[in-house]
Amino acid sequence: MTALDARPETTTTLRFPTGFRWGTATAAYQIEGAAAEDGRTPSIWDTFSRIPGKVRNGDTGDIAADHYHRMREDVALMRRLGVTDYRFSIAWPRVQPTGRGPAVQKGLDFYRRLVDELRDAGIRPVATLYHWDLPQELEDAGGWPERETARRFGEYAGIMAEALGDRVATWTTLNEPWCAAFLGYGNGVHAPGRTSPLASLRAAHHFNLAHGWAAQTLRAALPAGAEISLTLNLHAVRAHTNSPADLDAARRIDAVGNRVFLDPVFHGRLPEDLVRDTAAVTDWSFVLDGDLEAASTPIDSLGINYYSPTVVAAGSSESPSPWAGAEEHVRFLPAPGPRTAMDWPVDANGLHELLIRLRDDLPGVPLVITENGAAYDDYADPSGAVHDPERVAYLHAHLSAVHRAIGEGADVRGYFLWSLLDNFEWAYGYSKRFGIVHVDFATQRRTFKDSAHWYADVIARGGLT
């Protein structure tokens, strides 16, 4: 990546640097539907969503926002918004159904059509290889706690590089491996629903290894100048007080929530305090010679997903906990302030804190906000309009925080709003709406919310008023 042309101007309009990327983002299982079409086989989320009680209302992603059939309509919406970039994920079981062997051409063809449609619309494709939809056959063979899954992921990366390497300039290996490892294998609230601290730590390591192997494969296969990235949902951790016990609680969560990925990927090492914290769970002998070197394969940018801060104090957490090694030492407290429909606190300062930390901890690493947004209880009024002033306020505050961080030296290259469409919101099913485009799931009708019109104006101005 090249540095942006200028720092933002300090005027009544908060202008972002020339070349700043304005995007939106989605994930395959949340929007595509067509779950059993053209050779696609079940992912862990197809299986998990059919377990009674795991997903609200028994919802599944079988149809979702039907993007598989309405892709051109959705790209036209992005053109109306004026976005420069679109971040999407590729469904691994759509292109390599068992996680092994040759690709399914119909699956590859869908992504070829999507990328070509985006390019024709003047929108830069940003592809994510993994947004949580592991082929079920690989989970049946052990899933992410097993080293072989990382090896399979590296091969899958090669398939996609060969298929789309001439069309896609930015590749993200993984989206939020913390959620996939610790919510999927630690406390079981996400697919595949396992509850094992050891499995979650093994999965975290194998995600780091998979990322490194995929980055090596992509680097060897892609044209010169292609960008390789990783997206993390880093936690803006705050101690409730300055007491030694509360500060230690924050340290523990920073270790298992942030540095479990940051240290291997950017420094080629495991956090020493994490190893001590988790000694009762594992001796980390599953980390083999060469793994950390592979995990630290150089990349071109780091994606940051941020929604709200994390406030902790000394205490204990409910079991099962996703926080391996910290559950008996940390309790979580609600942050003050307004809350979204997810009951998440609204606090844009947490995003600013993260960006300044990364400015200091990872000098020279370009940053991109790859997800930021909010769910509210949106509905279409009798005229068909969808008014969402709370979301507009949320987005304005967080973009202002990004602008402030850039002015303080954080090398932030872009902002991808989550999400383009209302969609399948994982364990919440269709009960939570993050989109700036309202989707009537009964008819699949798309309607710009007020926030979409607002975001289009921000993009056109290149900043905030």
Side-chain angles (χ1 to χ4, degrees), residues 155-229:
E155 293 178 1
Y156 157 62
I159 288 173
M160 296 314 306
E162 181 180 355
L164 297 179
D166 61 339
R167 295 170 166 91
V168 174
T170 297
W171 294 80
T172 300
T173 55
L174 306 171
N175 178 81
E176 297 187 355
W178 187 89
C179 292
F182 292 96
L183 301 183
Y185 293 93
N187 71 347
V189 301
H190 277 194
R194 291 203 237 168
T195 55
S196 165
L198 175 58
S200 68
L201 294 170
R202 290 176 61 95
H205 172 64
H206 293 134
F207 275 122
N208 285 331
L209 185 59
H211 158 73
W213 281 344
Q216 291 174 357
T217 299
L218 292 171
R219 189 71 73 198
L222 295 176
E227 297 172 8
I228 300 172
S229 183

Side-chain angles (χ1 to χ4, degrees), residues 256-273:
V256 74
N258 294 332
R259 287 182 284 115
V260 65
F261 299 109
L262 290 173
D263 280 18
V265 170
F266 290 101
H267 304 298
R269 67 189 183 215
L270 289 173
E272 292 181 2
D273 57 336

Side-chain angles (χ1 to χ4, degrees), residues 67-333:
H67 173 74
Y68 190 76
H69 300 114
R70 298 170 184 268
M71 175 268 291
R72 289 185 172 84
E73 176 185 357
D74 293 337
V75 174
L77 293 173
M78 289 181 251
R79 187 200 288 262
R80 283 180 58 195
L81 282 169
V83 296
T84 63
D85 292 60
Y86 172 54
R87 177 176 176 255
F88 64 96
S89 79
I90 295 161
W92 190 352
R94 191 177 297 286
V95 300
Q96 195 189 30
T98 66
R100 300 178 178 85
V104 171
Q105 289 304 312
K106 287 185 177 180
L108 293 178
D109 286 345
F110 169 73
Y111 296 107
R112 292 186 178 110
R113 292 193 301 272
L114 168 62
V115 168
D116 288 347
E117 194 77 10
L118 290 166
R119 287 160 59 95
D120 289 346
I123 299 169
R124 191 172 178 278
V126 178
T128 298
L129 288 173
Y130 188 75
H131 200 132
W132 306 354
D133 43 5
L134 182 71
Q136 182 60 45
E137 286 200 24
L138 290 185
E139 173 60 23
D140 293 342
W144 285 108
E146 297 304 319
R147 187 180 188 85
E148 184 64 15
T149 304
R151 196 179 310 280
R152 299 276 73 79
F153 184 74
E155 293 178 1
Y156 157 62
I159 288 173
M160 296 314 306
E162 181 180 355
L164 297 179
D166 61 339
R167 295 170 166 91
V168 174
T170 297
W171 294 80
T172 300
T173 55
L174 306 171
N175 178 81
E176 297 187 355
W178 187 89
C179 292
F182 292 96
L183 301 183
Y185 293 93
N187 71 347
V189 301
H190 277 194
R194 291 203 237 168
T195 55
S196 165
L198 175 58
S200 68
L201 294 170
R202 290 176 61 95
H205 172 64
H206 293 134
F207 275 122
N208 285 331
L209 185 59
H211 158 73
W213 281 344
Q216 291 174 357
T217 299
L218 292 171
R219 189 71 73 198
L222 295 176
E227 297 172 8
I228 300 172
S229 183
L230 167 70
T231 282
L232 301 176
N233 59 310
L234 296 175
H235 301 78
V237 185
R238 298 172 182 164
H240 181 53
T241 73
N242 287 326
S243 71
D246 285 0
L247 291 172
D248 187 64
R251 177 202 61 76
R252 286 176 180 272
I253 295 305
D254 185 59
V256 74
N258 294 332
R259 287 182 284 115
V260 65
F261 299 109
L262 290 173
D263 280 18
V265 170
F266 290 101
H267 304 298
R269 67 189 183 215
L270 289 173
E272 292 181 2
D273 57 336
L274 176 63
V275 174
R276 291 194 303 269
D277 292 345
T278 57
V281 179
T282 180
D283 61 3
W284 293 85
S285 58
F286 48 83
V287 180
L288 304 185
D289 288 347
D291 284 4
L292 295 173
E293 181 181 1
S296 60
T297 298
I299 57 177
D300 301 299
S301 65
L302 175 64
I304 308 299
N305 292 358
Y306 173 84
Y307 294 94
S308 60
T310 302
V311 181
V312 298
S316 61
S317 303
E318 293 183 4
S319 183
S321 166
W323 305 98
E327 59 269 40
E328 296 180 359
H329 304 273
V330 180
R331 60 190 174 98
F332 293 84
L333 301 175

Side-chain angles (χ1 to χ4, degrees), residues 20-72:
F20 192 81
R21 297 180 184 175
W22 295 101
T24 188
T26 63
Y29 189 71
Q30 293 184 271
I31 68 166
E32 283 184 2
E37 292 188 32
D38 294 337
R40 184 189 181 280
T41 57
S43 74
I44 55 175
W45 270 96
D46 293 279
T47 301
F48 184 77
S49 64
R50 284 168 167 75
I51 300 173
K54 293 297 185 180
V55 175
R56 189 169 297 182
N57 301 319
D59 293 338
T60 74
D62 286 0
I63 299 174
D66 198 30
H67 173 74
Y68 190 76
H69 300 114
R70 298 170 184 268
M71 175 268 291
R72 289 185 172 84

